[in-house]
Amino acid sequence: MKIYRVNMSNLSFTQEEVPEEWRLLGGRGLTSAIVAKEVDPTCNPLGSKNKLVFAPGLFAGTMVANSGRLSVGAKSPLTGGIKESNAGGTAAQRFAKLGVKALIVEGIPEEDKWYCIHVHKDGVEIKEETELLGKGNYEVIHTMTARYGENTGVMTIGQAGEYKLSTANISVKDPKGHIRSAGRGGLGAVMGSKRIKFITLDDNDGAGIEMKDKEKFKDAARIFNKALLEHPVSGDALPKYGTNVLVNILNEAGGLPTKNFRMGRFDGAEKICGEKMYDTIVSRNGDPTHGCHVGCIIRCSQTYNDKDGKYLTAGFEYETIWGFGAGCLVDDLDIIARIDQMCDDIGLDTIDTAGTMMVAMEAGLLPWGDGEGIIKFVEEIKEGSHLGRILGNGPNFTGKAFGVTRIPTVKGQTIPAYDPRAVKGIGVTYATTTMGADHTAGYAVATNILKVGGNIDPLNKEGQIELSRNLQIATASIDSSGLCLFVAFAVLDSEPASHAIIDMVNAQYGTNWSVEDWFDLGRSVLKTEIAFNKAAGFTSKDDRLPEFVAESIPPHDAVWDITNEELDQVLQF
Amino acid sequence: MKIYRVNMSNLSFTQEEVPEEWRLLGGRGLTSAIVAKEVDPTCNPLGSKNKLVFAPGLFAGTMVANSGRLSVGAKSPLTGGIKESNAGGTAAQRFAKLGVKALIVEGIPEEDKWYCIHVHKDGVEIKEETELLGKGNYEVIHTMTARYGENTGVMTIGQAGEYKLSTANISVKDPKGHIRSAGRGGLGAVMGSKRIKFITLDDNDGAGIEMKDKEKFKDAARIFNKALLEHPVSGDALPKYGTNVLVNILNEAGGLPTKNFRMGRFDGAEKICGEKMYDTIVSRNGDPTHGCHVGCIIRCSQTYNDKDGKYLTAGFEYETIWGFGAGCLVDDLDIIARIDQMCDDIGLDTIDTAGTMMVAMEAGLLPWGDGEGIIKFVEEIKEGSHLGRILGNGPNFTGKAFGVTRIPTVKGQTIPAYDPRAVKGIGVTYATTTMGADHTAGYAVATNILKVGGNIDPLNKEGQIELSRNLQIATASIDSSGLCLFVAFAVLDSEPASHAIIDMVNAQYGTNWSVEDWFDLGRSVLKTEIAFNKAAGFTSKDDRLPEFVAESIPPHDAVWDITNEELDQVLQF
């Protein structure tokens, strides 16, 4: 395995050995280690001192299911802290097949030009790009697929990334040519600051990964894959309804944040829920279930067609549907699908864009429930108008522009689709994760609501600190493996599945890890990230929910009763 | 003396005794003590938990010269830290004559209405305001003067404050009905968030201040006043040329930041310098010298007329002329005067607006040197257009909107008119003051360039830490007295003047202070502010200059060579 390094300041490429300290890291563990080692924590995220790091996980390129997540890391222009955002799609497996453990992009071009990067077995080519500037992600992916073939991996930014907006994401081509996104934290803006429109990956004749004990790995992977298929969440609910199965579940639990976190139930829930979405997809000859990368057996993605049966969007997630739906009081799934399609194409994180629209509605720029108005506003972002420059920089920015103080963010990043007062464990994660509000950083919804990995009352503060801490540690390990987070349902409930992970590490890398070593990996990733954030100027004051959580939320009149002192214990380990 | 307290949440007024702990505080010392005691440091500056505090200084209402500065304090929406901004004008003396030591405004109205406040001897009236909404500060002042008479004090916000923009200031009527501003840190936005368009002050039949020993005070004040008139800066340069005497001085020193801090000399300096300004004013029948409050004997203000001899602006300061002039490469004093007039009327801090225009020029929104373009952009702010909402929130905000990273701020506040590399002592102050970049917080230019209070080479790091520390302490004391900072030239150079201050404190308050007690006041003010900022989440990482100071600046090729470790020692005492 090797490291590819690109310096945009002088348009140079170098290939490096993998230092021993990075050998047993992958995914988030590796991007965070590289960012922490090489990036000045106080630097401007859009300046020449920031670096953008792409890394497949520890298991990328192997035959274990759901191991194709790609991690992207940098200092975030949205939060100002360290950021790892991961995505499905085909890029991680291409990197693995090329034997590339990480691609590090540093510097900023001196000339006012844009570039594209082509990654292949012999290294990297940096070429000036003019043709696709100003174009959306779909056009980039289609053009590159036509140029290099179906198997080409593509990572690209839309107009949002070109404008260096803080909610710009990096899109990754999936096996069907649709879009998966490293969505959060404005990593697309970092790519835009380095003047890279897209990166293509050709893995032909790649050196591939190393594997110490193939048979042992295969045995463990079989056990692991079986556990995924047998678990009711990853084997049944997610394949059928996708993540949007959660609308009804959270609405029932009174934790579906409605009208910018004023209520926990949405009158229009049944019009946007997973069951409704499934029926709609089937009736329009869409595809209700496919995987975002080769080897995915959970297959929570789908293809959502419009009324005429024409492709509209894919990877249509619960958090997107919640945000533009319940969050903004829009109860029309077709409109939300159009918004999702636009965000994918422009390269905008849907959660932060939804949070921004809630703030725009608070400001009176749009009436609540005005889905067509949201579409017009997303169009403004695409055009780079002055309003678009405001909206594209997220909820805090929009709030400041228009004097709004009810802003649903932590560390500048929008709180996702689970109310922190009605699902307290996830509230603890939002407040304390190194990433800014992020449900995927310690998904306590599993144990609070889905009763996976135990059963902790979502409305009671008891046990939530420990739950969030343990999940944040376990998640940092999972995010380093390249495994999809959705394997965690099976891992939390099945001892054979959790042991299989350790067996796979040992089989692939020749280590002798115990379960404790696995969690040590997660702890060490978190410690690296916490240290970076501290050096960037973060304090415990940043580990707080917004002021409005002091209000109670119906229907349970739940209040936020976890103290700051308790929050400050979460990442003490 | 008493405290007036207004709660905008329920539109109520209370009068309170002055607690003993606040008896020997005034001005900045008092606003910072009240903000630190009563405001949650982590609150949203534009939310209901912030408070806006007005306080005259310890000597307000006495016969000592230049004692009419008004301090305004709050948590700043621009910096996120504690803020005191002070201004001349007539308000401080009205408060003193009313026997009001501080006016504290808290809460936010529940109804979507605007208000005005009338302060008089029996308390405060809160009235709904509709007529002057959307109007500029000049119209407010003229209307209120017509309504209540020439002697009425007025504190007002323009359109910028109504929009709650982070560069909005609070304007104070001066004796001629012109405008002085509590300019920095967005205090106008805090006033706007509380829905107060203006505050009028009627001091008729006020209880007045207390004075333990009138004769002793008079004797000391005479010594003090004499020292002011005899010092070459306050007795000669400032009365004749105003603060703009500094253009030629700083240009000569190579410390006049030009084109957003790229050079230390400006080719067009002679077209905008104090000497040119003086000639222009005299030739157009303007007034080259008047005081911003009754009792001012330095009289650095002036009235600048247009080519037709019609009033254009007043209080036309060096930092304004530097910012829109050298900073933006504009060499036309008439254009800069028009911008100054607009900023006064709209209620915009000129330094932060100038910093914003530099960033807009970096972004390519305006060509360098385009003064008419700046006028159009300031008009956008007045209109509250989307572009105006961006620009009005300052340089960091504008930089983020347009992806610019060369931003001349510390803690979000624009670095004023003295390059930190060519005048190192002021660089130390910019980095470390609790206020965000602020030349008035520890004006090391005095000793580095004007050779007042000693002679420390501006280009050499030697002695700058101690200089800035001592000046920051002394300034915190001066800012608490209500004395204009320009008394400091005499105080630094004349022992009788500095002793006279202590004598005046003792004469007025019956204390037995030594010089050390006077400096203890300053140290204690700074400690209060530092503690607030720390509790708000500030760390040493916030005490840093922008990345571009790593570049050397011509003509001296001066570099910033003061280390972070040295900076971290400045406020250790």
Side-chain angles (χ1 to χ4, degrees):
Chain A
M1 302 288 281
K2 61 219 167 196
I3 305 278
Y4 276 5
R5 188 184 295 270
V6 167
N7 187 336
M8 294 304 293
S9 299
N10 54 15
L11 306 178
S12 67
F13 161 74
T14 50
Q15 177 176 321
E16 299 169 10
E17 297 291 305
V18 178
E20 177 57 28
E21 59 176 322
W22 293 348
R23 192 176 69 86
L24 293 173
L25 293 176
R28 173 177 171 186
L30 186 52
T31 62
S32 287
I34 294 173
V35 170
K37 187 171 182 191
E38 300 195 358
V39 174
D40 175 354
T42 65
C43 76
N44 188 316
L46 301 179
S48 62
K49 292 181 181 173
N50 202 2
K51 302 195 182 187
L52 185 65
V53 184
F54 301 86
L58 286 168
F59 297 145
T62 71
M63 52 85 66
V64 69
N66 290 75
S67 58
R69 302 289 294 187
L70 175 77
S71 286
V72 190
K75 174 169 173 170
S76 164
L78 184 70
T79 71
I82 199 164
K83 174 57 64 178
E84 182 264 5
S85 187
N86 61 66
T90 62
Q93 290 161 335
R94 306 264 171 266
F95 275 122
K97 204 179 156 204
L98 286 166
V100 173
K101 206 163 164 71
L103 168 65
I104 304 172
V105 182
E106 54 195 38
I108 285 185
E110 287 182 11
E111 283 190 272
D112 186 15
K113 289 181 177 174
W114 283 83
Y115 300 88
C116 63
I117 286 178
H118 189 58
V119 181
H120 50 68
K121 73 176 171 56
D122 298 319
V124 161
E125 289 163 46
I126 306 165
K127 293 181 278 193
E128 190 182 347
E129 175 60 36
T130 53
E131 177 192 349
L132 289 166
L133 283 188
K135 305 297 185 189
N137 287 314
Y138 275 108
E139 186 166 341
V140 172
I141 287 171
H142 294 161
T143 307
M144 288 306 109
T145 302
R147 182 174 304 168
Y148 293 114
E150 285 294 336
N151 281 332
T152 308
V154 184
M155 304 183 294
T156 163
I157 58 171
Q159 296 88 350
E162 292 187 38
Y163 302 142
K164 296 187 264 185
L165 300 176
S166 294
T167 64
N169 63 24
I170 296 177
S171 293
V172 185
K173 177 185 150 189
D174 90 352
K176 299 209 167 186
H178 303 149
I179 285 173
R180 306 300 304 187
S181 308
R184 309 216 69 190
L187 295 171
V190 179
M191 189 155 148
S193 76
K194 302 197 174 303
R195 298 291 183 121
I196 298 168
K197 176 66 179 172
F198 58 86
I199 299 171
T200 45
L201 297 139
D202 170 3
D203 64 4
N204 278 318
D205 302 322
I209 60 167
E210 292 141 29
M211 177 66 75
K212 297 281 182 188
D213 187 335
K214 271 189 193 170
E215 284 309 309
K216 192 176 158 193
F217 192 95
K218 203 187 286 181
D219 292 343
R222 271 201 205 101
I223 293 168
F224 187 79
N225 296 358
K226 185 160 169 281
L228 296 190
L229 290 174
E230 284 174 353
H231 193 278
V233 175
S234 52
D236 188 16
L238 286 171
K240 182 158 184 189
Y241 298 117
T243 54
N244 201 27
V245 66
L246 288 163
V247 163
N248 277 338
I249 294 172
L250 268 294
N251 199 50
E252 178 61 28
L256 184 73
T258 300
K259 199 181 181 187
N260 191 16
F261 294 79
R262 279 184 179 77
M263 295 95 71
R265 279 199 186 133
F266 176 41
D267 285 343
E270 65 183 32
K271 295 187 184 167
I272 62 169
C273 68
E275 292 76 356
K276 165 81 177 173
M277 179 165 132
Y278 176 83
D279 293 344
T280 305
I281 290 173
V282 170
S283 74
R284 294 176 181 174
N285 294 316
D287 176 4
T289 178
H290 70 78
C292 75
H293 60 279
V294 172
C296 168
I297 60 177
I298 300 178
R299 301 168 54 84
C300 70
S301 193
Q302 66 298 102
T303 306
Y304 186 98
N305 291 343
D306 66 14
K307 284 175 178 147
D308 304 323
K310 221 181 117 195
Y311 173 79
L312 187 53
T313 195
F316 193 24
E317 305 293 352
Y318 163 63
E319 287 75 12
T320 306
I321 294 164
W322 154 75
F324 296 110
C328 294
L329 299 190
V330 173
D331 63 2
D332 183 326
L333 204 52
D334 282 341
I335 286 183
I336 302 171
R338 281 167 61 201
I339 299 168
D340 185 58
Q341 191 275 336
M342 292 173 76
C343 287
D344 283 352
D345 198 41
I346 300 164
L348 286 169
D349 180 48
T350 54
I351 300 173
D352 276 294
T353 303
T356 300
M357 295 304 158
M358 294 176 217
V359 172
M361 288 175 176
E362 295 285 349
L365 301 178
L366 281 181
W368 291 100
D370 183 6
E372 294 289 350
I374 293 174
I375 288 175
K376 284 192 195 110
F377 274 23
V378 173
E379 191 70 30
E380 296 267 350
I381 303 176
K382 177 180 169 182
E383 298 304 323
S385 71
H386 296 137
L387 177 59
R389 299 268 179 175
I390 294 172
L391 300 169
N393 275 304
N396 283 22
F397 200 83
T398 302
K400 193 160 187 185
F402 296 104
V404 171
T405 56
R406 188 187 178 89
I407 301 175
T409 59
V410 177
K411 300 183 179 74
Q413 190 167 285
T414 300
I415 298 177
Y418 316 85
D419 192 275
R421 292 156 292 184
V423 192
K424 295 210 160 98
I426 197 74
V428 174
T429 296
Y430 293 153
T432 58
T433 160
T434 53
M435 294 292 150
D438 182 349
H439 58 296
T440 71
Y443 191 67
V445 178
T447 312
N448 278 182
I449 302 289
L450 306 176
K451 310 309 177 194
V452 170
N455 179 353
I456 291 180
D457 179 358
L459 296 166
N460 191 322
K461 66 190 275 187
E462 208 65 41
Q464 307 292 5
I465 298 291
E466 196 181 8
L467 174 65
S468 174
R469 178 193 301 129
N470 291 339
L471 288 172
Q472 289 195 55
I473 292 167
T475 302
S477 301
I478 293 277
D479 286 346
S480 302
S481 72
L483 290 168
C484 167
L485 187 59
F486 293 163
V487 307
F489 300 110
V491 171
L492 285 166
D493 279 343
S494 148
E495 211 164 308
S498 61
H499 282 136
I501 291 186
I502 315 302
D503 291 342
M504 290 189 290
V505 173
N506 291 333
Q508 184 173 350
Y509 293 93
T511 49
N512 195 22
W513 279 16
S514 65
V515 173
E516 219 28 53
D517 292 316
W518 174 251
F519 288 119
D520 277 346
L521 168 63
R523 275 186 277 266
S524 130
V525 172
L526 290 179
K527 280 183 178 165
T528 298
E529 293 170 351
I530 292 164
F532 183 95
N533 282 355
K534 191 178 172 196
F538 281 56
T539 70
S540 60
K541 311 303 179 301
D542 296 295
D543 291 345
R544 300 292 180 259
L545 295 175
E547 290 181 19
F548 67 71
V549 296
E551 303 163 14
S552 69
I553 183 169
H556 299 303
D557 294 327
V559 292
W560 181 250
D561 55 359
I562 293 174
T563 66
N564 292 341
E565 291 67 33
E566 288 166 332
L567 289 178
D568 292 345
Q569 294 308 309
V570 176
L571 296 184
Q572 300 290 339
F573 46 78
Chain B
M1 301 289 279
K2 60 220 168 197
I3 305 279
Y4 277 4
R5 187 184 294 270
V6 169
N7 187 335
M8 295 303 293
S9 300
N10 54 16
L11 305 178
S12 67
F13 161 73
T14 49
Q15 179 177 320
E16 299 168 10
E17 297 290 305
V18 177
E20 178 57 28
E21 59 177 320
W22 293 349
R23 191 176 71 86
L24 293 174
L25 293 176
R28 173 177 171 187
L30 187 52
T31 62
S32 286
I34 293 173
V35 170
K37 187 170 183 195
E38 300 195 0
V39 174
D40 175 354
T42 66
C43 76
N44 187 315
L46 301 180
S48 62
K49 292 181 181 174
N50 201 3
K51 302 194 182 188
L52 185 64
V53 184
F54 301 86
L58 286 169
F59 296 145
T62 71
M63 51 87 66
V64 69
N66 290 74
S67 59
R69 302 288 294 186
L70 175 78
S71 286
V72 191
K75 175 169 172 169
S76 165
L78 184 72
T79 70
I82 200 164
K83 173 57 62 178
E84 183 264 4
S85 187
N86 62 66
T90 62
Q93 289 161 335
R94 305 266 170 266
F95 274 122
K97 203 177 156 205
L98 285 165
V100 173
K101 207 161 163 73
L103 168 65
I104 304 172
V105 182
E106 54 195 38
I108 284 184
E110 287 182 10
E111 282 190 272
D112 186 15
K113 290 181 177 173
W114 282 83
Y115 300 88
C116 63
I117 285 178
H118 189 58
V119 181
H120 50 68
K121 72 177 172 55
D122 298 320
V124 161
E125 289 162 49
I126 306 166
K127 292 182 278 193
E128 191 181 346
E129 176 60 37
T130 54
E131 178 193 349
L132 290 166
L133 284 187
K135 305 297 185 189
N137 287 314
Y138 275 108
E139 186 167 341
V140 172
I141 287 170
H142 294 160
T143 307
M144 287 306 109
T145 301
R147 182 175 303 168
Y148 293 114
E150 286 293 338
N151 281 332
T152 307
V154 185
M155 304 184 294
T156 164
I157 57 172
Q159 296 89 348
E162 292 187 39
Y163 301 142
K164 296 186 264 184
L165 301 175
S166 294
T167 63
N169 64 25
I170 296 177
S171 293
V172 185
K173 178 186 148 187
D174 90 352
K176 300 208 168 185
H178 303 149
I179 284 172
R180 307 299 304 187
S181 308
R184 309 216 68 190
L187 295 171
V190 179
M191 189 155 149
S193 76
K194 303 200 173 303
R195 297 291 183 124
I196 298 168
K197 176 66 180 172
F198 57 87
I199 299 172
T200 45
L201 297 141
D202 170 3
D203 64 5
N204 277 318
D205 303 321
I209 60 167
E210 290 142 30
M211 178 65 75
K212 296 282 184 191
D213 188 336
K214 271 188 190 169
E215 283 310 308
K216 192 175 158 194
F217 191 95
K218 202 187 286 181
D219 292 344
R222 271 202 204 100
I223 293 167
F224 187 80
N225 295 358
K226 185 160 171 282
L228 296 191
L229 290 173
E230 285 175 352
H231 193 278
V233 175
S234 51
D236 187 16
L238 286 171
K240 181 156 186 191
Y241 298 117
T243 54
N244 201 27
V245 67
L246 288 162
V247 163
N248 277 339
I249 294 171
L250 268 294
N251 199 51
E252 178 61 28
L256 183 73
T258 299
K259 199 181 180 189
N260 191 17
F261 294 80
R262 279 184 179 76
M263 295 96 70
R265 278 198 187 134
F266 176 41
D267 286 343
E270 66 183 31
K271 295 187 184 166
I272 62 168
C273 68
E275 292 76 356
K276 164 82 177 171
M277 180 165 131
Y278 175 83
D279 293 343
T280 305
I281 289 173
V282 170
S283 75
R284 294 176 182 175
N285 293 316
D287 177 3
T289 177
H290 71 78
C292 75
H293 60 279
V294 173
C296 167
I297 60 178
I298 299 177
R299 301 166 55 81
C300 70
S301 194
Q302 67 297 101
T303 306
Y304 185 98
N305 291 344
D306 65 15
K307 283 176 177 146
D308 304 323
K310 222 180 116 196
Y311 173 79
L312 189 52
T313 196
F316 193 25
E317 306 293 352
Y318 163 63
E319 287 77 11
T320 305
I321 294 164
W322 154 75
F324 297 111
C328 295
L329 299 191
V330 173
D331 63 2
D332 184 325
L333 204 52
D334 283 340
I335 286 183
I336 302 171
R338 282 166 61 201
I339 299 168
D340 184 58
Q341 191 275 337
M342 293 174 75
C343 286
D344 282 351
D345 198 42
I346 299 164
L348 286 168
D349 180 50
T350 54
I351 300 174
D352 275 295
T353 303
T356 300
M357 296 304 158
M358 294 175 216
V359 172
M361 289 174 174
E362 296 286 348
L365 301 178
L366 281 180
W368 290 100
D370 183 6
E372 294 289 349
I374 293 174
I375 288 175
K376 284 192 195 107
F377 273 22
V378 173
E379 190 70 31
E380 296 267 351
I381 303 177
K382 177 181 170 182
E383 298 303 324
S385 71
H386 295 136
L387 177 59
R389 300 269 178 174
I390 294 171
L391 301 169
N393 275 304
N396 283 22
F397 199 84
T398 302
K400 194 159 186 185
F402 297 104
V404 171
T405 56
R406 189 187 177 88
I407 301 176
T409 59
V410 178
K411 301 182 178 75
Q413 190 168 285
T414 300
I415 299 176
Y418 314 86
D419 193 276
R421 292 156 292 185
V423 191
K424 295 210 161 94
I426 197 72
V428 174
T429 296
Y430 293 153
T432 59
T433 160
T434 53
M435 294 292 149
D438 182 350
H439 58 298
T440 71
Y443 191 67
V445 177
T447 312
N448 278 182
I449 302 289
L450 306 176
K451 309 308 176 194
V452 170
N455 180 352
I456 292 181
D457 180 357
L459 296 166
N460 191 320
K461 66 188 275 184
E462 208 67 42
Q464 307 292 5
I465 297 291
E466 197 181 8
L467 173 66
S468 174
R469 179 193 301 130
N470 291 339
L471 289 172
Q472 289 194 55
I473 292 168
T475 302
S477 301
I478 292 275
D479 286 345
S480 302
S481 71
L483 290 167
C484 167
L485 187 59
F486 293 164
V487 307
F489 300 112
V491 171
L492 286 166
D493 279 342
S494 148
E495 211 163 311
S498 62
H499 282 136
I501 291 186
I502 316 301
D503 291 342
M504 290 189 288
V505 172
N506 291 334
Q508 184 173 351
Y509 292 92
T511 49
N512 194 22
W513 279 16
S514 65
V515 172
E516 218 30 53
D517 292 317
W518 174 252
F519 289 119
D520 277 346
L521 168 63
R523 276 185 277 265
S524 132
V525 172
L526 291 179
K527 279 182 179 167
T528 299
E529 293 169 351
I530 292 164
F532 183 94
N533 282 355
K534 190 176 173 199
F538 281 57
T539 70
S540 61
K541 311 302 178 305
D542 296 295
D543 292 344
R544 300 292 180 258
L545 296 176
E547 290 181 18
F548 67 71
V549 298
E551 303 163 14
S552 69
I553 182 169
H556 300 301
D557 294 327
V559 292
W560 180 250
D561 54 0
I562 293 175
T563 66
N564 292 341
E565 292 66 33
E566 288 165 332
L567 289 178
D568 292 345
Q569 294 309 310
V570 176
L571 296 184
Q572 300 288 342
F573 48 77

